[in-house]
Amino acid sequence: MALGEFDLIQKYFTRPTPQAVLGVGDDCALLQPAAGMQWAISSDMLVEGRHFLSTVRPERLGHKALAVNLSDLAACGAKPVAFTLALALPRVDEAFLAGLAQGLFDLADAHGIGLVGGDTTAGPLNLCITVFGEVPPGQALRRDGARAGDALWVSHPLHGGLGDARLALEAFRGHVSLDGADFEAVRTAMEQPQPRVALGLGLRGLATAAIDVSDGLVGDLRHVLRRSGVGAEIGLADLPIGPVLARQPQQQQWQCCLAGGDDYELLFTAPPAAGAAVQAAAAAAGVGARCIGRLTAEPGLRLLDAQGRAVPLQLQGFDHFAAGA
Amino acid sequence: MALGEFDLIQKYFTRPTPQAVLGVGDDCALLQPAAGMQWAISSDMLVEGRHFLSTVRPERLGHKALAVNLSDLAACGAKPVAFTLALALPRVDEAFLAGLAQGLFDLADAHGIGLVGGDTTAGPLNLCITVFGEVPPGQALRRDGARAGDALWVSHPLHGGLGDARLALEAFRGHVSLDGADFEAVRTAMEQPQPRVALGLGLRGLATAAIDVSDGLVGDLRHVLRRSGVGAEIGLADLPIGPVLARQPQQQQWQCCLAGGDDYELLFTAPPAAGAAVQAAAAAAGVGARCIGRLTAEPGLRLLDAQGRAVPLQLQGFDHFAAGA
């Protein structure tokens, strides 16, 4: 490598970290947890070809690597504090590194958090970020608190819906054709997701359970149902679908929205009486929130049309997208 | 994958975690930091072909991935609390995963810590562990506290020295030939390093600076010298050399010991009057400790023979081991 590991860290990944007692450059970072707070910790690894395409701009890759981790903190209602980055690089490409650092630090600055440590090595491109957040004891949003009768909610962009990231992936794969502006819109959704940190904080004491939608709404909902020991009904007519996806065939809309993945919206439950408070929390966070169903004592998940009739959707095997479209 | 990500985590990487408020299986792990303690955090990424060879037994790989991270906590004098694991796997090989988990949890159990979260994904083999430890405020061992006049110490196995891991690598590369027992001994040093956690705890309030030897004694010492604004002298005759390495040519002994890397011993400084206390801390931790030199106000690093004469060793370019041997 033209630029050694030490120089690379010094040049691109060392910034002042007022959040830390000791930041990048020693064996460990040192942080002083706020008195009485619990720490929420999450670690996500991004691999080229699986979590991002080689065509992604490095600024967006830096953003996304941190965003998907912040999304986990959001889903716990935790306030972000700091993060570490471990990075395997096939080669030292300074333009790539400068862009990656830019996207990473722009999002970190927006959330007031610092990069406190990590590792760089040669190897197939891989980004592993670990984030730390704080939450008062007993106030973390978990997957196991949903109760029969709770309303089921999902956040969404103010003027959009879920499923755009998956639609973009299908466009990249050549399975759907989109015009230039539509493609750019859904590509941005895929490459630059916005973690719903403010909403997560606003849902403390309000939501009974929460999860972030990374693997697809239905799949992630099943984790909540299993953990909470309940079932659910979703009204297909209530799903938030953005304008670009709304121009696709109905079946594809449902599939992208329900099983697309990479949305990083919050899926959460709350008592029916909390509807106005949920809407207020979403408005304060600058995002939309839609009630898409309710939880049931009867186990399993039922998808209903506007008349309340069960709709048998084949969402299994959705990884083979083309076959279902 | 025959075994899905969720099942894989459930089967191999989910154990009770009494250290955590909430362990594997939610968006985040939740930990309750002990009142008043600072948190030490370190993250290391291991890549096949760079940090381990494809021939390594999975048990040893699991051990090493955690050991190199615990070594960073040791170098800070922090007590290990918990860790996360992010894992990219080219395929689901259950024998490999079972072995990896065994090695990982055996070492975790030995240190009383739990795996509280992480991530698994498909991709080129990559292990990224982030460890958390605690240390009372102001007691962390850092790289910037060494003072001119301090003694320079390095830990070592009770009946061994530094450089064995590098000697094993050179044997794997075919650059040196070792008989079977010698090869197994140094191979174990390379594949199954023992993090000096107990020694790190014992050096709180005693050592003025510390670092773990991962990149080679001289290279890691230079980090301490730069951070502390001092220089150092090392007595070549005082270096701890194990019995296998001692049978190699003199030049190779020095090179493996001084610039080999992958040792995971602690290199530390302490006031001259603390010698007996350092020896007592090492004995209590079940490791050896050797005084190998002293720190100087004059910057730079000098290597001296038994008569105190400077020895001009070419340790630069040591990555091309064969040329120097």
Side-chain angles (χ1 to χ4, degrees):
Chain A
M1 291 192 180
L3 197 68
E5 179 186 353
F6 181 79
D7 300 321
L8 185 162
I9 292 172
Q10 186 66 33
K11 183 167 180 182
Y12 292 108
F13 297 110
T14 305
R15 299 265 188 108
T17 51
Q19 307 87 351
V21 178
L22 186 63
V24 170
D26 212 297
D27 293 283
C28 294
L30 288 176
L31 297 174
Q32 180 68 64
M37 286 290 200
Q38 286 183 347
W39 271 38
I41 298 171
S42 181
S43 196
D44 271 314
M45 183 174 262
L46 272 70
V47 175
E48 183 168 350
R50 182 152 292 265
H51 302 95
F52 58 92
L53 303 177
S54 58
T55 50
V56 69
R57 281 172 44 211
E59 290 82 359
R60 290 189 168 189
L61 177 58
H63 172 101
K64 184 168 182 175
L66 182 56
V68 303
N69 278 282
L70 289 176
S71 182
D72 284 314
L73 290 184
C76 281
K79 181 174 180 293
V81 172
F83 67 106
T84 59
L85 166 69
L87 183 61
L89 295 168
R91 75 202 70 81
V92 173
D93 172 342
E94 294 213 41
F96 173 85
L97 282 168
L100 186 78
Q102 184 72 46
L104 191 74
F105 282 116
D106 281 353
L107 186 63
D109 290 346
H111 290 274
I113 65 174
L115 172 62
V116 296
D119 194 16
T120 58
T121 179
L125 187 56
N126 185 309
L127 296 92
C128 182
I129 285 182
T130 305
V131 284
F132 316 100
E134 57 182 25
V135 59
Q139 292 192 32
L141 308 178
R142 300 166 54 142
R143 297 180 178 177
D144 58 4
R147 291 165 301 199
D150 280 350
L152 178 65
W153 295 82
V154 70
S155 67
H156 59 87
L158 273 183
H159 304 291
L162 272 70
D164 285 358
R166 182 56 183 245
L167 186 61
L169 180 61
E170 296 308 319
F172 269 111
R173 289 175 172 172
H175 296 162
V176 299
S177 177
L178 299 174
D179 74 28
D182 282 2
F183 177 65
E184 278 309 313
V186 296
R187 177 182 186 166
T188 300
M190 179 177 90
E191 294 181 342
Q192 211 158 13
Q194 300 300 325
R196 302 308 188 193
V197 172
L199 178 61
L201 293 174
L203 292 175
R204 284 184 190 167
L206 204 54
T208 49
I211 191 171
D212 75 320
V213 181
S214 55
D215 295 336
L217 194 157
V218 161
D220 289 317
L221 176 57
R222 288 193 196 280
H223 292 302
V224 173
L225 301 184
R226 183 175 45 240
R227 284 248 167 186
S228 298
V230 291
E233 295 174 352
I234 290 179
L236 293 173
D238 298 319
L239 293 173
I241 306 280
V244 178
L245 184 57
R247 286 192 282 278
Q248 299 298 312
Q250 179 66 71
Q251 181 76 7
Q252 187 150 315
Q253 292 179 36
W254 286 335
Q255 293 196 323
C256 283
C257 180
L258 289 170
D262 245 10
D263 296 296
Y264 304 102
E265 295 295 342
L266 295 189
L267 180 69
F268 57 98
T269 60
V278 166
Q279 289 292 6
V287 300
R290 181 82 62 88
C291 179
I292 60 169
R294 65 185 191 91
L295 301 199
T296 61
E298 185 189 350
L301 173 62
R302 288 157 296 284
L303 304 173
L304 307 177
D305 68 13
Q307 286 71 46
R309 292 173 300 212
V311 179
L313 279 185
Q314 289 297 324
L315 297 168
Q316 298 292 19
F318 187 59
D319 271 335
H320 310 283
F321 185 88
Chain B
M1 291 191 179
L3 198 67
E5 177 186 354
F6 181 79
D7 300 320
L8 184 162
I9 293 171
Q10 186 66 32
K11 184 166 180 183
Y12 293 107
F13 297 109
T14 305
R15 299 267 186 105
T17 50
Q19 306 86 352
V21 178
L22 187 63
V24 171
D26 213 297
D27 292 283
C28 295
L30 288 177
L31 297 175
Q32 180 68 63
M37 285 292 200
Q38 286 183 348
W39 270 38
I41 298 170
S42 181
S43 195
D44 271 314
M45 182 174 264
L46 273 69
V47 175
E48 183 168 351
R50 183 152 292 265
H51 302 95
F52 58 92
L53 303 177
S54 59
T55 50
V56 70
R57 281 172 45 211
E59 291 80 0
R60 290 189 168 189
L61 178 57
H63 171 102
K64 183 168 182 175
L66 182 56
V68 304
N69 278 282
L70 290 176
S71 182
D72 284 315
L73 291 184
C76 281
K79 181 175 178 294
V81 172
F83 68 106
T84 60
L85 167 68
L87 184 60
L89 295 168
R91 73 202 70 82
V92 172
D93 172 342
E94 295 212 40
F96 174 85
L97 282 168
L100 187 77
Q102 185 71 48
L104 192 73
F105 283 115
D106 281 353
L107 186 62
D109 291 346
H111 290 275
I113 65 174
L115 173 61
V116 295
D119 193 17
T120 58
T121 179
L125 187 56
N126 185 308
L127 296 92
C128 181
I129 285 183
T130 305
V131 284
F132 317 101
E134 57 183 24
V135 59
Q139 291 192 34
L141 308 178
R142 301 166 53 144
R143 297 179 179 178
D144 58 5
R147 290 165 301 199
D150 280 352
L152 178 65
W153 294 82
V154 70
S155 68
H156 59 87
L158 273 183
H159 304 290
L162 271 70
D164 285 358
R166 181 57 184 244
L167 184 62
L169 181 61
E170 296 308 318
F172 269 111
R173 287 175 173 172
H175 296 163
V176 298
S177 178
L178 299 174
D179 75 28
D182 282 1
F183 177 65
E184 279 309 313
V186 296
R187 178 183 187 165
T188 299
M190 178 177 90
E191 294 180 342
Q192 211 157 12
Q194 300 300 325
R196 303 307 188 192
V197 172
L199 177 61
L201 293 174
L203 290 176
R204 284 185 191 167
L206 204 54
T208 49
I211 190 170
D212 75 319
V213 181
S214 55
D215 295 335
L217 194 158
V218 161
D220 289 317
L221 175 58
R222 288 192 195 281
H223 292 302
V224 173
L225 300 185
R226 184 175 43 240
R227 284 250 168 184
S228 297
V230 290
E233 294 173 352
I234 290 179
L236 293 173
D238 298 319
L239 293 173
I241 306 281
V244 179
L245 184 56
R247 286 192 282 277
Q248 299 298 312
Q250 179 65 71
Q251 180 77 5
Q252 186 149 315
Q253 292 180 36
W254 285 336
Q255 292 197 324
C256 281
C257 180
L258 289 170
D262 246 10
D263 296 296
Y264 304 102
E265 296 295 343
L266 295 189
L267 180 68
F268 58 98
T269 59
V278 166
Q279 289 291 5
V287 300
R290 180 82 62 89
C291 179
I292 60 169
R294 64 185 191 92
L295 300 199
T296 60
E298 184 189 351
L301 173 62
R302 286 158 297 282
L303 304 173
L304 307 178
D305 67 14
Q307 286 70 45
R309 291 173 301 212
V311 179
L313 279 184
Q314 287 300 323
L315 297 167
Q316 297 292 17
F318 187 59
D319 271 334
H320 310 282
F321 184 89

mmCIF file with all atom_site columns, all heavy atoms in Angstrom, chain A residues 4 62 96:
data_model
loop_
_atom_site.group_PDB
_atom_site.id
_atom_site.type_symbol
_atom_site.label_atom_id
_atom_site.label_alt_id
_atom_site.label_comp_id
_atom_site.label_asym_id
_atom_site.label_entity_id
_atom_site.label_seq_id
_atom_site.pdbx_PDB_ins_code
_atom_site.Cartn_x
_atom_site.Cartn_y
_atom_site.Cartn_z
_atom_site.occupancy
_atom_site.B_iso_or_equiv
_atom_site.pdbx_formal_charge
_atom_site.auth_seq_id
_atom_site.auth_comp_id
_atom_site.auth_asym_id
_atom_site.auth_atom_id
_atom_site.pdbx_PDB_model_num
ATOM 1  N N   . GLY A 1 4  ? 0.333   3.819 4.303  1.00 0.00 ? 4  GLY A N   1
ATOM 2  C CA  . GLY A 1 4  ? 0.267   2.798 5.332  1.00 0.00 ? 4  GLY A CA  1
ATOM 3  C C   . GLY A 1 4  ? -1.017  2.907 6.128  1.00 0.00 ? 4  GLY A C   1
ATOM 4  O O   . GLY A 1 4  ? -1.732  3.904 6.054  1.00 0.00 ? 4  GLY A O   1
ATOM 5  N N   . GLY A 1 62 ? -20.429 5.398 2.471  1.00 0.00 ? 62 GLY A N   1
ATOM 6  C CA  . GLY A 1 62 ? -20.088 5.824 3.832  1.00 0.00 ? 62 GLY A CA  1
ATOM 7  C C   . GLY A 1 62 ? -21.338 6.162 4.626  1.00 0.00 ? 62 GLY A C   1
ATOM 8  O O   . GLY A 1 62 ? -21.475 5.783 5.795  1.00 0.00 ? 62 GLY A O   1
ATOM 9  N N   . PHE A 1 96 ? -11.594 7.196 -3.300 1.00 0.00 ? 96 PHE A N   1
ATOM 10 C CA  . PHE A 1 96 ? -12.632 6.383 -2.658 1.00 0.00 ? 96 PHE A CA  1
ATOM 11 C C   . PHE A 1 96 ? -12.670 6.657 -1.153 1.00 0.00 ? 96 PHE A C   1
ATOM 12 O O   . PHE A 1 96 ? -13.736 6.877 -0.575 1.00 0.00 ? 96 PHE A O   1
ATOM 13 C CB  . PHE A 1 96 ? -12.355 4.895 -2.938 1.00 0.00 ? 96 PHE A CB  1
ATOM 14 C CG  . PHE A 1 96 ? -13.258 3.948 -2.204 1.00 0.00 ? 96 PHE A CG  1
ATOM 15 C CD1 . PHE A 1 96 ? -14.494 3.604 -2.726 1.00 0.00 ? 96 PHE A CD1 1
ATOM 16 C CD2 . PHE A 1 96 ? -12.879 3.408 -0.978 1.00 0.00 ? 96 PHE A CD2 1
ATOM 17 C CE1 . PHE A 1 96 ? -15.333 2.734 -2.046 1.00 0.00 ? 96 PHE A CE1 1
ATOM 18 C CE2 . PHE A 1 96 ? -13.707 2.544 -0.288 1.00 0.00 ? 96 PHE A CE2 1
ATOM 19 C CZ  . PHE A 1 96 ? -14.936 2.205 -0.828 1.00 0.00 ? 96 PHE A CZ  1
#
